[in-house]
Amino acid sequence: MTDENRIERIGILTGGGDCPGLNAVIRAVAKAAMHQHGLEVWGIEDGFLGLIRNRMRILERDDVSNILTRGGTILGTSNTANPSRFVVGIDEQGKPVTEDVTQRVVEHIAERRLDLIVCVGGDGTMSGAAGLIQHGVRCIGVPKTIDNDLMHTEITFGFLTAVNTATEALDRIHTTASSHHRVMLVEIMGRNAGWLTLTSGLASGADVILIPEIPYSLDAICDYCMNRSKRGKSFTIIAVSEGAKPVGGQQTVDRVVAGSPDPIRLGGISNVLCKQIEAATRLECRATILGHVQRGGTPVPADRVLGTLFGHKALELALAGRFNEIVVSQSGRITSVPIESVAGQQRLVPLDHPLIAAARSVGTSFGDEL
Ligand code: F6P
């Protein structure tokens, strides 16, 4: 490695929505960096906000010990702090006023003499990292999200824990649905991607799975519920993505978050559908929105392992001078691609995906056939 690529001090931040497994990455990067390679590791607080406000601290041995099984992130996170569009106020019309504070971030990094920043996050965080790279900051990306929608990686840590949580919830809904003979809708996160709903829906044997990639027909869903009822099946479980939408219609927006790289927050489609299905079929319906429970809690073993593998690879890239790349998993192999190639992109469920075919083959409806 050339002298200019030698690193002594690294910063690490977790950006965007949290997910189980973030602490496993921080631990893997920091422990090896400190103990095996004698590097100084700085924990940056609350994602890019810590870089903007100059809030960071040296991580000590004890800071990264005993955190493998802990959910959330010991560093904190922010999904609104974007250096190139940082919200500094609200104008008279109530619109956010933004400023490009990237230069301030670059100065804070130079002040602490950080040689590179490990950015653990989703597509929004990688867009932020890509902006810093353009200003000469060296970054290494590590992909996280319960949505599993990052480009070029077949899996992100956090996803399998969320699948577990959503599946357990669907299983619980199953028993009460059966006692009360109801149509039960369970709304699952995932933004514009249906991975979480599809996987947990399949795992729990949901009767109907509605994902953003396959727009639904209300008539098809109602017919399916009525046919089940006629066949003596007194209840129906519908796993619905927060991003599901009717054919020719729109997604249901819950709120708009100023300053966020992706300001739209989806939510509420299960309540809309609940009323529509009840009115059309006269079957009793109830909706449950799982919400942030899907992001919390202890990571499942697979996510602890994946977080550790990703963290290990991130440090390996840093030590090899392979800057501005993001760790990815491709065909079971941990490798890397340029950060720019994943920034601001989304990996949606392909319509010919085997999970969809398998679900259809056991009689699951995607609300698209009449
Ligand atoms: O990207 C992770 C995620 O949990 C999405 O599934 C969800 O749409 C969004 O974040 C919710 O964001 P927030 O925490 O800002 O409500």
Side-chain angles (χ1 to χ4, degrees):
M1 188 200 311
T2 58
D3 266 0
E4 66 179 29
N5 280 350
R6 197 173 301 283
I7 54 170
E8 290 175 7
R9 243 170 250 99
I10 63 178
I12 181 163
L13 64 79
T14 50
D18 70 343
C19 76
L22 286 166
N23 288 325
V25 179
I26 297 168
R27 172 180 176 270
V29 171
K31 279 198 164 186
M34 293 173 192
H35 308 326
Q36 315 288 334
H37 304 283
L39 306 180
E40 203 170 271
V41 182
W42 286 70
I44 298 158
E45 292 171 12
D46 300 333
F48 290 120
L49 194 60
L51 286 179
I52 296 167
R53 299 220 192 279
N54 211 359
R55 284 201 274 110
M56 41 194 123
R57 60 183 194 268
I58 293 183
L59 294 179
E60 307 288 356
R61 185 182 284 258
D62 281 352
D63 292 323
V64 292
S65 195
N66 253 323
I67 62 169
L68 178 61
T69 60
R70 216 196 288 173
T73 160
I74 60 160
L75 297 176
T77 186
S78 161
N79 57 5
T80 53
N82 181 346
S84 63
R85 273 180 291 114
F86 186 53
V87 178
V88 289
I90 304 287
D91 70 12
E92 280 135 27
Q93 279 85 48
K95 294 222 176 76
V97 180
T98 62
E99 211 177 88
D100 185 344
V101 294
T102 310
Q103 196 46 43
R104 197 193 302 172
V105 165
V106 171
E107 282 159 22
H108 292 158
I109 292 171
E111 208 176 285
R112 310 283 183 161
R113 290 182 294 130
L114 300 179
D115 298 308
L116 98 123
I117 311 292
V118 176
C119 300
V120 190
D123 57 327
T125 304
M126 294 314 140
S127 298
L132 295 186
I133 291 168
Q134 280 168 11
H135 283 75
V137 176
R138 294 152 159 180
C139 297
I140 303 269
V142 180
K144 68 87 232 202
T145 167
I146 64 162
D147 305 336
N148 203 25
D149 63 347
L150 233 85
M151 281 302 270
H152 304 305
T153 187
E154 62 213 353
I155 186 100
T156 51
F157 62 87
F159 173 66
L160 290 173
T161 305
V163 167
N164 215 49
T165 306
T167 303
E168 194 189 329
L170 282 159
D171 290 348
R172 285 174 189 271
I173 291 288
H174 222 113
T175 60
T176 172
S178 138
S179 312
H180 285 272
H181 319 297
R182 286 171 171 160
V183 174
M184 298 292 271
L185 295 110
V186 179
E187 184 171 318
I188 295 168
M189 280 185 167
R191 287 199 302 172
N192 301 313
W195 296 106
L196 190 50
T197 309
L198 178 57
T199 312
S200 54
L202 188 64
S204 63
D207 306 299
V208 181
I209 296 177
L210 304 177
I211 59 174
E213 293 85 349
I214 306 179
Y216 63 79
S217 137
L218 180 63
D219 288 346
I221 299 170
C222 292
D223 278 4
Y224 186 90
C225 296
M226 292 301 284
N227 283 336
R228 269 180 67 80
S229 177
K230 278 183 208 140
R231 282 190 286 118
K233 299 275 189 187
S234 65
F235 68 95
T236 299
I237 307 287
I238 304 180
V240 51
S241 285
E242 60 181 4
K245 56 175 187 263
V247 176
Q250 302 295 319
Q251 290 175 318
T252 306
V253 174
D254 175 48
R255 67 181 65 206
V256 178
V257 180
S260 175
D262 184 0
I264 303 295
R265 294 293 180 274
L266 300 166
I269 182 64
S270 58
N271 286 324
V272 173
L273 274 172
C274 183
K275 292 201 172 62
Q276 290 176 333
I277 297 170
E278 198 164 70
T281 63
R282 305 261 167 231
L283 297 169
E284 195 181 10
C285 300
R286 292 287 189 277
T288 303
I289 301 181
L290 296 186
H292 291 80
V293 77
Q294 297 160 99
R295 291 232 302 258
T298 303
V300 295
D303 277 338
R304 299 178 203 178
V305 171
L306 194 60
T308 305
L309 285 172
F310 277 7
H312 169 72
K313 180 70 180 180
L315 190 65
E316 201 176 270
L317 291 173
L319 293 167
R322 302 253 310 268
F323 307 126
N324 308 334
E325 299 196 7
I326 177 170
V327 177
V328 291
S329 173
Q330 294 181 344
S331 309
R333 229 182 101 240
I334 311 290
T335 176
S336 61
V337 296
I339 285 182
E340 282 88 348
S341 69
V342 308
Q345 310 259 357
Q346 285 175 351
R347 189 178 69 94
L348 303 182
V349 180
L351 296 183
D352 60 353
H353 196 279
L355 285 175
I356 294 179
R360 286 198 200 275
S361 75
V362 293
T364 304
S365 165
F366 283 84
D368 57 339
E369 68 286 305
L370 272 175

